[in-house]
Amino acid sequence: MEMAAALPSSWEELPPDILGLVLRHLPSLADRVHLRAVCRPWRTGGHPQRHKPLPPPLPWLALLDGTLVDLCGAPVRCAPILRDGVFRYLAVDNLAFLVDNDGGCSLMNPLSGLTLPLPKLAPAVSRALEDSAYHKSHPRKTHAKVILSSPLYLSPDPLVAILVRDGYSLAISPSKDHDAISISLPPERPEGLPTRISDIAFFHGELYALTVYEGLHIIKLDVDGLCEPNFIHQCIADDPKQQNPMTSY
């Protein structure tokens, strides 16, 4: 009888440490949100700050019709993404990056529908296009990839970095502070040809760019404010595998 009395009388009394174990086995952000929506005790007991840091949720894939799906192909139940005034969108982590008909940019939480405008990012993209093969009057079509320096819930103002479609320049903006810059990597080859970027990623607060012929570069950004990078250089300049990494393996 004493053992029975010690057991929870309802699901609402499930211990927070058990909720934490359940959360760690839910790789989908939508499933984590659904767990916390069951009842008030689960919403407070399932908060990430009450447990060890959870592994990052699996990313979503963006389909052309405005649908988000997880890596298993299951659709994510969310607010409509493609709506009046939205030209296209990209998936970034568990957010939607929206590009309006006028080129304006914003981040949207598809589960809640809340939108975070990025007013300075569109002008930065236009500046990045000045020396581009793409005409700067078409800024809506130039966003090849969008990344965040950290999830919005882990940082007060993470950076948003955009790889311009031709691969010769980047646009970077804080997600909340109204500022933005555009940068291009300097030419590295003897021919003086421009450095073309194939991919970008944030790691430990630094921005890395993988180029077609020169290998991996680090773009050191000023931690006291977004301005022109302190330096851009090859990470392993004397490694022969740095040369044309797209065909070295």
Side-chain angles (χ1 to χ4, degrees):
M1 296 294 294
E2 293 181 358
M3 182 178 296
L7 295 175
S9 59
S10 70
W11 285 105
E12 294 183 3
E13 299 179 7
L14 196 66
D17 56 338
I18 300 299
L19 286 174
L21 291 175
V22 174
L23 281 170
R24 297 190 70 83
H25 286 81
L26 296 177
S28 168
L29 177 62
D31 289 339
R32 297 177 185 180
V33 172
H34 294 157
L35 181 144
R36 298 189 186 106
V38 170
C39 59
R40 186 181 299 275
W42 284 29
R43 183 161 57 251
T44 57
H47 201 274
Q49 276 71 15
R50 297 182 63 94
H51 314 286
K52 296 179 181 179
L54 297 175
L58 294 178
W60 294 333
L61 304 178
L63 304 184
L64 293 177
D65 62 356
T67 303
L68 290 172
V69 297
D70 61 23
L71 295 185
C72 296
V76 178
R77 299 177 182 177
C78 60
I81 296 176
L82 291 181
R83 54 184 187 270
D84 290 342
V86 176
F87 176 77
R88 68 187 298 244
Y89 82 111
L90 298 172
V92 48
D93 296 335
N94 295 116
L95 299 172
F97 177 81
L98 308 181
V99 182
D100 297 335
N101 290 333
D102 60 0
C105 305
S106 59
L107 289 171
M108 174 187 175
N109 184 331
L111 297 178
S112 66
L114 295 177
T115 301
L116 178 64
L118 304 170
K120 297 293 186 178
L121 197 50
V125 172
S126 295
R127 292 195 299 271
L129 291 173
E130 290 181 355
D131 298 326
S132 168
Y134 285 81
H135 195 279
K136 61 182 179 180
S137 64
H138 298 283
R140 303 177 306 175
K141 303 178 181 180
T142 60
H143 308 81
K145 182 176 183 178
V146 180
I147 59 173
L148 290 176
S149 59
S150 65
L152 285 176
Y153 62 87
L154 290 181
S155 174
D157 195 12
L159 295 177
V160 182
I162 293 177
L163 175 60
V164 175
R165 185 170 296 278
D166 63 5
Y168 296 125
S169 52
L170 305 169
I172 307 172
S173 171
S175 57
K176 298 178 182 178
D177 184 26
H178 293 171
D179 194 7
I181 61 172
S182 58
I183 59 176
S184 300
L185 269 63
E188 298 284 352
R189 282 176 284 170
E191 301 87 347
L193 298 176
T195 303
R196 187 172 185 179
I197 304 170
S198 298
D199 203 359
I200 55 175
F202 280 107
F203 184 69
H204 289 172
E206 307 292 355
L207 180 59
Y208 289 83
L210 180 65
T211 64
V212 177
Y213 295 100
E214 300 83 12
L216 189 64
H217 288 66
I218 182 172
I219 304 173
K220 183 74 172 180
L221 300 171
D222 193 338
V223 296
D224 297 324
L226 191 61
C227 59
E228 292 300 319
N230 290 339
F231 59 83
I232 303 173
H233 66 81
Q234 287 179 275
C235 293
I236 316 174
D238 58 349
D239 184 356
K241 292 184 179 180
Q242 280 277 101
Q243 306 306 314
N244 201 357
M246 308 303 292
T247 59
S248 294
Y249 299 95

